Amino acid sequence: MMKARLMCYLQGGRVDGMKRDMHGARDPSPPTDSEVCTVPHRLFFGRSSTTWGGGGVCFLDPCPCEEFPSKLRLWRVTLDQFNDIFAQENGYEPGDDGMEAVTETHLDEFRAAVPDRVHHDFLDSWYGGVLYLGDQSESSHALSEPILSFTLPSADLELFRKRQEQTNPPSEAYINVIKHGLVEAMCMDDADAVQYLDERIDAPLSGEVFLR
């Protein structure tokens, strides 16, 4: 959500509350555009992040959830930049061997799999699952552009669904970053942003089967 947080992935560094610096992308250019949208997938918080003082971090549930839709900020970056962000979220440096990147061929496969499958496993790590949330097309852009995010891989999502792994509330510093992003992007006030996040922190994860 918050632009300063995104720029850590592209240009390196950290924002207040983080315990370590990000490497930055091989192409540090800022995004060429951004916009906001709402998707029918709920966010939840889990695991324990040393980067954020031991609190839970945010994941997006592939299973549709009309009760708790999520507000997203879309950033227009290149596919190479996306892969460098993806690498950093999974503990790799951009360009590391062993880091499976999303390619144009994968994008074609993602599009062909909809609506039966929106979630694709790439890595055995916290953010090893890639979510394809459709294409965005504007009159100023001749080609439609994929909306991509990342979340837990399938096996780890299953642990949360079976209650074999419990959700974990985020640290105050982590929540503040998301809250500031909501205020910055969505023109929400602090109270509305806090209410939006509190509802999702407290709600149990659905037991429905998620889309693979």
Side-chain angles (χ1 to χ4, degrees), residues 179 183 188-198:
K179 181 186 74 174
V183 172
M188 300 172 74
D189 60 29
D190 283 1
D192 287 342
V194 168
Q195 180 181 355
Y196 167 83
L197 293 168
D198 283 348

Side-chain angles (χ1 to χ4, degrees), residues 37-155:
C37 73
T38 301
V39 296
H41 302 280
R42 68 156 293 184
L43 60 85
F44 68 98
F45 298 89
R47 301 286 164 91
S48 177
S49 170
T50 56
T51 301
W52 293 100
V57 290
C58 184
F59 300 103
L60 198 61
D61 187 353
C63 182
C65 178
E66 299 293 341
E67 184 179 4
F68 294 107
S70 294
K71 300 179 184 298
L72 303 184
R73 190 173 189 178
L74 310 181
W75 298 100
R76 180 172 285 119
V77 297
T78 67
L79 185 58
D80 286 340
Q81 286 178 311
F82 172 85
N83 280 313
D84 285 356
I85 296 169
F86 184 40
Q88 292 172 81
E89 274 293 73
N90 284 290
Y92 292 88
E93 292 187 28
D96 272 356
D97 292 338
M99 171 64 205
E100 184 178 1
V102 178
T103 65
E104 293 289 347
T105 299
H106 288 127
L107 296 181
D108 291 339
E109 293 172 354
F110 294 172
R111 293 180 176 110
V114 172
D116 296 323
R117 185 181 181 196
V118 299
H119 180 255
H120 304 265
D121 288 336
F122 271 71
L123 302 167
D124 183 19
S125 52
W126 284 17
Y127 287 99
V130 173
L131 283 173
Y132 168 68
L133 300 173
D135 273 34
Q136 186 83 345
S137 181
E138 295 185 5
S139 58
S140 58
H141 298 274
L143 299 176
S144 61
E145 299 168 314
I147 302 173
L148 301 177
S149 187
F150 33 74
T151 190
L152 287 162
S154 300

